[in-house]
Amino acid sequence: MGSAIAVLVSALVLGSLYALMASGLSLIWSTLGVFNFGHGVLLALGAYFAWTFADQAGMPVVVASVLAILVLAVIAAGYEFSLVRPFIRHQNGAMLVMVATLAITALVQGVVQLTWGPQLRQIAPFSSATVAFSGATASGNQLVAIVAAPVLIGALYLVLWFTPLGISVRALEQNRDHARLIGIRPAAVYVFVVGTACVLAAIAGILLGGIQFMSPTMGDDPLMRAFVVLAFGGTASLGGTLAGAYIIGLLEAVTTYFFGLSWSPVIVFAVMIVVLLVRPEGLIRQRTA
Amino acid sequence: MTPMLEIEKLHAGYGKSLVLRGINLHVAQGEAIGLLGPNGHGKTTLLRCVSALHRPSRGDIRFEGTSLVTCSTRAVLQHGIVHVPQGSRLFPGLTVTDCLRLGAAANPRRGVARTLLSEVFDLFPKLAQRRTQLAGTLSGGERQMLSIGAGLMAGPRLLILDEPTLGLSPKVRHELAAAVQAMRSRIEALIIVDGDMDLVLGVTDRFFVIESGQVVRTGESAAGAGSDQIMALFLGET
C-alpha cells in the first residue's frame, strides 16, 4: 500500500510539472503554429532566479518565487519581441521561430553555466512539513506542485473561455485572417501567449528546483516529456493536455518503480511512438469544432 | 455624390503573378456597388487590398481622402471599413454570441454591444435561436449570417461582402439578399461581390465588371439587370 501511494504521489508530481510545461507549449503551438524549443531554458531560468533571490538575497521562498516569475514575464516580452515577432510574419516564419528558439536554448544554457556555475543547487522548500499516509510521505514542495498545476491550468482555462482576451486568443487560433479583419491584433495576442507560457514554465522550474538539483540543462527532460504529453493529449485542448500530462506522469512513475530510472524513459518514448502510429491526433478524444 | 472610397491605378499580385492591373474605382457616400466578373480575375484580391490583408504593389486606395495602402488591417477597420471575407468558417470553436461580441470589440462606439447584438438577432433570427451554439456546428447559410453579423457588430461605415451566398441554396440566398437590402439603411456604403448576378444588381446602385485585373465595364445596376452582354462579361465569355 505504501509503495502504491508513493508511486501515486510521484505520478501526480510529475504529471503536474509536465502539465505546466505542456500547457504553455500547447498554447504557443496552437496560436503561433510553432514548437518553442526554448521552453526548457525558460524553466531553468525561473529556477535559477528564484534560487538567487531566495538563497543569495535571503528573501523568503514565496517572495523569491513571485519575483522570479515577474522577471520571467519581462524576459517573455523580450523573447516574443526578439525571437517571435521579427520572424513569424515571413512565409516560412514558423520554421524561423523554431530555429531561433533552438539557438536561444544553447545560448541561454551557456549563459546560465557562466553566470551561476556548474555546481548543483536546490531552492529551499516552500514548507518543511511532510504528509505521511500509509507508510508513504509527500514533501511540502510535492504537495504545492500537486495543487498548483491544476489550479493554474484551471485559471488559464477560465481566462481563455470567459475573458475577451482569452476569446481573442482562441479566435486567432481558429482563423487568423478573419481575426485580423475584426480588429484582433496578433502581436498583442502573441505577447500574452508567450508571456503566459513563459510564466508557466518558470513556475514548473521553481517547483522542480525545490524537488531536485538544478543544472543549466534541467529543462531538457521536462521539455521532452512535454512533447510526449502533447502527442498523448493532442494540442487542441487544455483538457487533453492535462490528461496527457497525468498519463505520462503515471506511466513514468510506474515504469520507474518496476523497471528503474534507466528503463523508464525508454518505455515512455516507445509508447509515444506507438501512440503516434496508432492515433496521430492524440490519445485523448478532441472536441471537434 | 462625394467619393468615400477611391481606388486609383491599383496593381497587386502574388509573387511574380500580377492579378490587379491598374484598377480605378470609386464608391460614393450612400452608394452600393457590385463587382462582377469571372472567378480568378482579381475581385477578391481587390477587396483584400482595401482591407489591408494584402499589400498592393502600386497605386492608391483612399478613404475620405486618407491613403490606406500603408495602414494595418486594424487601422482600416478603425476607419469604419469592415470586410466580410469569402467562404470564411469564422471561428468554429466559439459560440455565436462570442463571435458577435468579438466583432463589437473593434467598434469605436463603446458600450453598444448589447444594442447591436439585438439588432443583429433581429436581422438574423436564426442566430438568436443558436446563440449558445458553436459556430462550427452551424449550416453554411447560418455561418454566413454570422460572418455578416460579426461585421455589423464592428459598426461599419463601408461594408464589404465577398461572395456572401457562395454555395448556399436558393432559399437561403433569398433570405440573405433580403437581409442585405435591410442593412443598407444602417451603413453608409456597400461593396458586394457575388456569383449571383441578379442579387448583386438587385441590391446595388452601380456595378463594375472586372476582367484580367482591370475594370472593363461599369454602369447603373438597374440598367444592367437582365442584360445578356453583362451576363457574358460576368461569365468571362467575351
Side-chain angles (χ1 to χ4, degrees):
Chain A
M1 182 68 178
S3 302
I5 299 286
V7 168
L8 186 64
V9 168
S10 175
L12 288 172
V13 171
L14 290 172
S16 298
L17 294 172
Y18 298 159
L20 288 171
M21 283 293 277
S23 52
L25 271 184
S26 166
L27 195 58
I28 291 180
W29 167 253
S30 54
T31 313
L32 283 98
V34 300
F35 273 119
N36 175 28
F37 288 105
H39 224 65
V41 288
L42 294 168
L43 175 148
L45 280 177
Y48 275 97
F49 276 113
W51 175 83
T52 303
F53 296 137
D55 200 84
Q56 304 296 292
M59 295 178 186
V61 181
V62 173
V63 177
S65 300
V66 171
L67 213 52
I69 290 165
L70 291 175
V71 170
L72 259 288
V74 174
I75 288 175
Y79 195 88
E80 192 279 334
F81 190 76
S82 57
L83 297 177
V84 176
R85 195 171 300 193
F87 302 118
I88 198 71
R89 67 177 79 129
H90 294 286
Q91 204 168 11
N92 57 342
M95 175 60 77
L96 296 176
V97 173
M98 284 196 277
V99 172
T101 62
L102 262 177
I104 201 73
T105 299
L107 191 149
V108 172
Q109 283 178 348
V111 170
V112 169
Q113 176 94 349
L114 290 169
T115 309
W116 281 282
Q119 301 92 329
L120 295 173
R121 307 180 189 282
Q122 193 166 22
I123 301 170
F126 285 104
S127 161
S128 53
T130 55
V131 174
F133 185 75
S134 292
T137 55
S139 70
N141 267 25
Q142 286 178 317
L143 292 173
V144 170
I146 289 169
V147 174
V151 168
L152 289 169
I153 292 169
L156 178 60
Y157 174 86
L158 293 177
V159 168
L160 289 177
W161 280 80
F162 298 110
T163 67
L165 177 61
I167 293 169
S168 297
V169 172
R170 289 165 55 223
L172 194 72
E173 280 174 14
Q174 293 168 32
N175 192 335
R176 189 183 149 83
D177 266 0
H178 210 132
R180 287 174 63 202
L181 284 174
I182 60 167
I184 292 172
R185 280 176 297 179
V189 171
Y190 294 160
V191 169
F192 168 75
V193 164
V194 174
T196 303
C198 286
V199 164
L200 290 174
I203 293 170
I206 293 165
L207 293 170
L208 192 62
I211 293 169
Q212 65 179 46
F213 287 113
M214 293 152 49
S215 75
T217 56
M218 65 185 285
D220 290 357
D221 269 356
L223 179 65
M224 288 298 285
R225 301 300 194 282
F227 284 132
V228 182
V229 166
L230 296 186
F232 268 72
T235 53
S237 78
L238 276 178
T241 303
L242 203 59
Y246 286 107
I247 291 172
I248 292 298
L250 184 64
L251 185 64
E252 197 168 327
V254 170
T255 51
T256 302
Y257 180 76
F258 285 107
F259 305 105
L261 270 175
S262 303
W263 275 101
S264 175
V266 175
I267 296 168
V268 168
F269 286 104
V271 171
M272 179 183 90
I273 290 169
V274 173
V275 168
L276 289 177
L277 286 170
V278 178
R279 279 185 70 100
E281 72 278 19
L283 264 189
I284 317 297
R285 189 176 172 78
Q286 302 294 328
R287 173 180 50 69
T288 49
Chain B
M1 283 190 280
T2 325
M4 194 178 193
L5 181 78
E6 295 167 278
I7 296 171
E8 202 175 272
K9 295 178 186 161
L10 199 73
H11 290 72
Y14 301 91
K16 287 181 181 167
S17 150
L18 197 59
V19 178
L20 302 182
R21 300 159 189 269
I23 292 247
N24 291 300
L25 183 154
H26 68 272
V27 186
Q29 194 133 20
E31 191 180 33
I33 67 153
L35 304 182
L36 302 172
N39 288 337
H41 283 240
K43 300 187 300 292
T44 293
T45 302
L46 174 62
L47 302 185
R48 286 173 65 84
C49 287
V50 173
S51 57
L53 276 179
H54 191 77
R55 287 262 176 258
S57 51
R58 259 196 293 158
D60 202 6
I61 303 168
R62 287 186 300 274
F63 186 72
E64 295 180 329
T66 306
S67 177
L68 300 178
V69 287
T70 55
C71 281
S72 67
T73 308
R74 187 176 165 88
V76 169
L77 186 68
Q78 281 166 342
H79 276 93
I81 301 174
V82 175
H83 178 180
V84 178
Q86 179 186 128
S88 174
R89 295 177 64 240
L90 205 61
F91 311 114
L94 301 190
T95 65
V96 166
T97 306
D98 281 345
C99 288
L100 292 173
R101 284 192 181 281
L102 266 184
N107 194 316
R109 288 158 59 216
R110 296 285 102 189
V112 291
R114 193 185 292 262
T115 314
L116 288 172
L117 197 62
S118 78
E119 281 179 20
V120 169
F121 285 154
D122 285 345
L123 189 64
F124 299 116
K126 280 183 182 169
L127 295 183
Q129 293 161 16
R130 312 225 185 291
R131 64 180 76 199
T132 57
Q133 216 169 300
L134 295 179
T137 64
L138 300 179
S139 69
E142 290 163 350
R143 216 153 46 212
Q144 197 55 51
M145 290 170 193
L146 182 57
S147 285
I148 296 172
L152 290 174
M153 294 289 289
R157 295 182 60 209
L158 166 63
L159 182 65
I160 299 171
L161 300 178
D162 191 1
E163 300 279 6
T165 71
L166 185 72
L168 303 181
S169 68
K171 182 172 174 284
V172 180
R173 280 152 86 152
H174 184 72
E175 276 177 48
L176 272 174
V180 171
Q181 277 291 16
M183 73 178 74
R184 272 204 61 183
S185 60
R186 302 175 195 198
I187 52 179
E188 292 175 42
L190 172 74
I191 300 177
I192 183 167
V193 171
D194 201 83
D196 184 336
M197 197 177 89
D198 292 336
L199 182 148
V200 172
L201 296 176
V203 300
T204 57
D205 304 305
R206 284 189 303 138
F207 70 88
F208 293 79
V209 179
I210 294 176
E211 205 179 270
S212 303
Q214 290 176 312
V215 174
V216 294
R217 183 167 172 158
T218 178
E220 303 285 325
S221 297
S227 157
D228 290 344
Q229 204 183 353
I230 302 296
M231 177 58 87
L233 279 166
F234 176 68
L235 297 171
E237 289 174 353
T238 55

